[in-house]
Amino acid sequence: MTEKVDHYPMWKNLGLDLEKHDQLLAILPDIYKKIYIETQKNRPDMSFWDFVVGDIHGIRIKELKEAKEKGQKILGTFCLYVPDELIFAVNAISVGLCGGTNFSNYAAEGIVPPNLCPLIKSALGFALGNICPYFNSLNLLVGETTCDGKKKAWEVMEKYFPCELYVVEIPQCKDRPQAREHWIAELKALVKKLENLTSNKLTFENLKAAMEKIENKRNQIRRVYQARKADPPPISGKDALLVSQVAFYDDPDREIQMVGKLADELEKRIRDGVGVVKKSTKRILISGTPMAIPNWKLHQIIETSGAIVVCEETCTGTRYFDAKLEITGKTLEGLIGNLAERYLNINCACFTPNEARTEDIKRLVKEYKADGVVLYSLSFCQPYIIESIAIEKKLKEIGIPTISIETDYSSEDEGQLKTRIEAFLEMIKK
Ligand code: BJ8
């Protein structure tokens, strides 16, 4: 409560719609309490993440404000394909933006069609409605050419949101040699933009240091995921998802420390045989579209239906950290090449063809000893909905129980989804 009062002048200065913002902050604690506190037992120490959600627009926003006052630039990104390494190398700060609630949709109404992906509608609503202080803290928004919805969203953003926008052009057929060349050229163009914005030059030294830092952050998340392979898992899917969600916008140094500490605890729990569920609880892998805070809906349904989520093949899951970054090379050119290579190994449904994603899912099912796969697509997300049909068929052919779910951020279909998930789990048990 005290925190809330203290942050008011800052929110006002950022130009937030305070009334709407109050309404948003009023609903989050109840949702969090219901999903994270009341329905979970024997959690590892998640006090840092409990605090972060409770203070979601507080200390981090204050840190960004202070960094800005010292001359640092704040950049907002929407996709894994915009490399954090380049942004941090020139002493700017990258904040992963998204929208995981339909609370903000009203602000985008009439500007975008209703049958648009909820993630885009939510993010646009946050920006246009002045209800997210992360958007209002930015010096530059960095969009990218992935799905059609996002491509068009940048045009809307540019028209209605008063912040400079830069769009990175992502190659669509990444298996071709010219795609790599094009991607490197795009990364270099982004570097130019960043250098102009920050007045800092990208050098071999600062890029190498940023690559080491971001890869270290990913290493800590890898450790958390590695721990989830144990039976019983020492952390719930919900908590692991939260760790990943927060990593998108928190300070990387703090993330290395806090996620590292959590991973230490999880490794100890495994040694001590401590889990959050009983051994042999049915294990589910979710694959599909990213889940932005506070989209915890599917995890909540699965984990209150007698199963546990052990892995997410999503951009708020393995796609965030799976591709390894080589930090070798003696020249700046060499490091940029490594970076390009690493990012081209992320298998998003926006690429064509994208066979490697199915292979990733098969591999992850084995590694995490998953009993079944839930293919998750946000409504109107054509790339993931289309891919889910072929993937479901392929997984079933090799005997992996699979179900496809298409949903949005509303709670209206929760009952229906729960019935389907419970039936799916029954089928797996048999
Ligand atoms: S690398 S998944 S973060 S593009 S859900 S907005 S695809 S219509 S978010 Fe993504 Fe980058 Fe790919 Fe990952 Fe469009 Fe689908 Fe909406 Fe999506």
Side-chain angles (χ1 to χ4, degrees), residues 32 36 46 48-54 56 60 94-96 134 217 221 238-252 254-255 258-259 291-293 296 316 320:
Y32 191 77
Y36 276 87
M46 293 296 293
F48 168 70
W49 288 271
D50 292 342
F51 171 77
V52 166
V53 176
I56 196 144
R60 185 68 187 135
S94 163
V95 180
Y134 289 96
K217 179 173 94 163
I221 301 177
K238 275 188 283 198
D239 275 328
L241 173 64
L242 182 61
V243 169
S244 180
Q245 289 171 329
V246 170
F248 275 83
Y249 67 88
D250 195 22
D251 171 58
R254 183 167 44 227
E255 283 296 298
M258 299 315 295
V259 183
M291 294 167 170
I293 290 181
W296 304 304
T316 39
Y320 183 57

Side-chain angles (χ1 to χ4, degrees), residues 78-81 117 120 146-147 150 289-290 315 319 348 350 378 381 384:
F78 295 85
C79 176
L80 291 191
Y81 260 82
C117 146
I120 299 175
T146 44
C147 64
K150 283 214 250 178
T289 44
C315 285
R319 287 203 295 270
C348 167
C350 294
L378 281 170
C381 170
Y384 281 90

Side-chain angles (χ1 to χ4, degrees), residues 339-353:
L339 209 57
E341 205 61 59
R342 190 254 163 203
Y343 280 85
L344 280 182
N345 282 328
I346 301 172
N347 299 317
C348 167
C350 294
F351 296 103
T352 182

Side-chain angles (χ1 to χ4, degrees), residues 229-301:
K229 294 178 182 171
D231 185 16
I235 183 168
S236 68
K238 275 188 283 198
D239 275 328
L241 173 64
L242 182 61
V243 169
S244 180
Q245 289 171 329
V246 170
F248 275 83
Y249 67 88
D250 195 22
D251 171 58
D253 287 314
R254 183 167 44 227
E255 283 296 298
I256 290 168
Q257 194 199 344
M258 299 315 295
V259 183
K261 213 169 128 204
L262 174 68
D264 290 343
E265 185 188 348
L266 299 183
E267 287 159 8
K268 180 170 185 314
R269 283 185 147 214
I270 294 171
R271 287 194 298 275
D272 296 344
V274 177
V276 285
V277 286
K278 282 192 198 133
K279 206 172 167 17
S280 304
T281 297
K282 291 296 167 202
R283 304 163 66 87
I284 298 299
L285 181 141
I286 294 176
S287 167
T289 44
M291 294 167 170
I293 290 181
N295 179 13
W296 304 304
K297 179 172 158 180
L298 185 57
H299 282 66
Q300 169 72 351
I301 291 173

